[in-house]
Amino acid sequence: MSDWDIRPASVADVEAIVEVRAVAMRPDLERLGRYDEHRVRQRFRDAFEPAHTWVIEVGGELAGCVALRPAEDAHWLEHFYLAPHLQGSGIGTAVLSRMLERCDREGVPVRLNVLQGSPARRLYERYGFTLETEDPVDLFMVRSANREDFFRDDTPTPTPS
């Protein structure tokens, strides 16, 4: 696994994150017939909340992001993007583990949505997410808080920044 870290996002990060999102989501959106070069970028700009977003850095460079937005009955794991050349390297697994550990400490369930057919679904299922509902484009998943039986890899996770 590459040397990585996360840091709080700022407004100045939005355009760099927009580009990572567009590249990371393109294959799944094209497969679903939903890719639009402008829309994929604008949807992130419209939803970006720096206060709930972290930038993933690899070797000091922006490589992705993840958001954990509080809601009434759960936290929503959103905007989890990693540059394609880093996918499968263990970074996404480590970032997800860190986010879920935080939610477990707070005793908060986690919700997310993932595109139909996305390989990310397997990662979420290994961490105890189950299908709640679905539509032709999205799967909506939930994970209860304080699960002791979710998958853990043996890679140590750096302490939060």
Side-chain angles (χ1 to χ4, degrees):
M1 178 170 35
S2 300
D3 180 32
W4 68 275
D5 200 2
I6 60 173
R7 65 167 172 80
S10 73
V11 173
D13 294 315
V14 70
E15 290 307 314
I17 295 170
V18 160
E19 292 309 312
V20 171
R21 179 184 198 266
V23 172
M25 291 191 67
R26 186 175 190 146
D28 282 332
L29 290 172
E30 284 181 339
R31 179 180 43 75
L32 293 168
R34 311 262 315 172
Y35 184 79
D36 176 294
E37 192 170 317
H38 173 73
R39 181 180 159 113
V40 71
R41 290 168 171 84
Q42 193 58 46
R43 285 192 67 179
F44 182 81
R45 288 181 190 114
D46 293 344
F48 182 54
E49 294 183 40
H52 304 298
T53 306
W54 289 266
V55 167
I56 303 165
E57 292 183 334
V58 175
E61 298 291 321
L62 189 145
C65 74
V66 63
L68 197 58
R69 180 178 52 84
E72 188 174 313
D73 65 337
H75 284 338
W76 278 87
L77 184 76
E78 300 175 317
H79 308 299
F80 193 5
Y81 313 116
L82 190 60
H85 71 281
L86 296 168
Q87 293 173 7
S89 68
I91 295 169
T93 299
V95 170
L96 180 61
S97 180
R98 185 181 294 180
M99 295 292 110
L100 295 178
E101 286 170 5
R102 176 182 172 180
C103 293
D104 286 346
R105 281 192 309 272
E106 297 173 10
V108 178
V110 181
R111 296 183 184 284
L112 61 80
N113 69 294
V114 62
L115 291 172
Q116 288 277 4
S118 172
R121 179 182 182 175
R122 290 188 306 274
L123 171 64
Y124 299 136
E125 288 172 337
R126 285 197 319 260
Y127 274 85
F129 283 88
T130 58
L131 181 65
E132 199 167 36
T133 62
E134 64 183 295
D135 63 31
V137 175
D138 291 305
L139 302 170
F140 294 87
M141 303 179 81
V142 64
R143 177 186 175 274
S144 299
N146 296 319
R147 291 185 50 104
E148 296 298 324
D149 59 342
F150 68 87
F151 172 87
R152 291 196 186 266
D153 74 13
D154 294 328
T155 307
T157 304
T159 55
S161 303

